Amino acid sequence: MKVIRAQSAGFCWGVERAINIAREFAGRGRSPVYTDGPLIHNSQMMERLQDEGIREVGDYHSQTQLDLEKDDNSVLVVRAHGISPERRKYLKSLGIDFKDATCPDVGIVAGKIRLHAKKGYTTVIFGDAKHPEVIGLMGYTEGRGHPIRSREDIDQLPELGDKVIMVSQTTMFTDDFHSLADYLKAKVPNLLVFDTICGATKDRQGDIAVLFEHGVQAFVVIGGHHSANTCKLALLARKTGLPTYHIETVNEIDEEAILQYQSVGVTAGASTPEFLIDAVCNRLAAL
Ligand code: SF4
């Protein structure tokens, strides 16, 4: 079987950077290295990190109080998703060494929101209100933030005034963002629109089209079943009309189904480690 792997498959630079920061501390003997919520949404990788002394505390949303065994040797790392200013203040108050591994691309979005909020702007965020990145970004809106995902959500917004900006969670679909921005602009003519979908996400989305143009007959998308960006990639792959298999590990390959195709396009979410992608590609190529 011909296996074409997307160039962008696997860790994005922001996730890789956060993992490297945590690993660097662990490698220097800092123990435990705590992370405020799971460092990445991939259970196989989380198990490996745990073996290296990197321990997840708190919850996925980075909202619960942390009960840490304080030790001069331990350190607390903030994930690539980032956190709100209130959460940062709380984590710093815990009296434990603190390292911010927020992805710089998320930092840019936070900066735009903060700058405009200080000038009195209201912020509309295209994203999932329950995603930790959006929870963190909301903290910069000075209480004037509204997460939306659809036209219906926009229709239900309160009166926003004429000082409004619109940004996006970094991992959303580009086409949807621009379509919703146009819809909101019809209601708020002075709307300032900032396309803050990150380059890594755009590359992943673009590579689905590239694989499609290469004539693959099906897609295999690798990543955690709870990973939001992997689920979005699978959705985008399905939108091409080709059969799409979202799997977490090599063991989930449906060989009988896959054997129908002569060529398969493989991509993976931003939190999928290389070793899982290699295992899937090798197995598919051997079929
Ligand atoms: S998906 Fe984009 S914004 Fe999020 S961590 Fe990766 S590079 Fe950074």
Side-chain angles (χ1 to χ4, degrees), residues 12-15 79-82 102-113 124-128 131-135 137 166-175 177 194-205 228-229 232 270:
C12 62
W13 75 284
V15 165
R79 297 175 295 174
H81 295 316
T102 301
C103 175
D105 280 348
V106 176
I108 289 171
V109 192
K112 281 195 192 312
I113 296 174
V124 174
I125 304 175
F126 174 44
D128 175 359
H131 190 280
E133 181 185 320
V134 176
I135 292 171
L137 292 176
M166 182 169 174
V167 296
S168 177
Q169 183 182 332
T170 53
T171 50
M172 302 304 276
F173 290 143
T174 314
D175 292 352
F177 173 72
F194 299 104
D195 176 351
T196 52
I197 296 163
C198 74
T201 298
K202 286 180 175 164
D203 287 347
R204 262 173 196 71
Q205 294 176 7
N229 78 80
K232 278 193 207 119

Side-chain angles (χ1 to χ4, degrees), residues 224-240:
H225 290 295
H226 300 294
S227 154
N229 78 80
T230 309
C231 292
K232 278 193 207 119
L233 263 188
L235 188 66
L236 199 62
R238 280 190 192 103
K239 277 188 180 173
T240 63

Side-chain angles (χ1 to χ4, degrees), residues 150-171:
S150 63
R151 290 185 174 208
E152 291 70 39
D153 291 345
I154 290 176
D155 289 341
Q156 282 166 21
L157 289 172
E159 177 54 44
L160 298 176
D162 65 348
K163 290 180 82 174
V164 186
I165 68 164
M166 182 169 174
V167 296
S168 177
Q169 183 182 332
T170 53
T171 50

Side-chain angles (χ1 to χ4, degrees), residues 5 16-17 22 31 55 100 108 114 128 164 183 193 274:
R5 176 175 168 159
E16 193 156 20
R17 178 177 169 272
S31 172
R55 198 190 308 169
D100 188 352
I108 289 171
R114 188 175 55 181
D128 175 359
V164 186
Y183 189 71
V193 178
E274 199 72 12

Side-chain angles (χ1 to χ4, degrees), residues 3 10 43 49 51 63 68 107 114 119 143 158-159 230 236-237 255 263 265 267:
V3 179
S43 47
L49 293 174
D51 291 343
Q63 286 183 315
L68 305 177
R114 188 175 55 181
K119 293 180 187 165
E159 177 54 44
T230 309
L236 199 62
E255 293 191 4
S263 67
T267 186

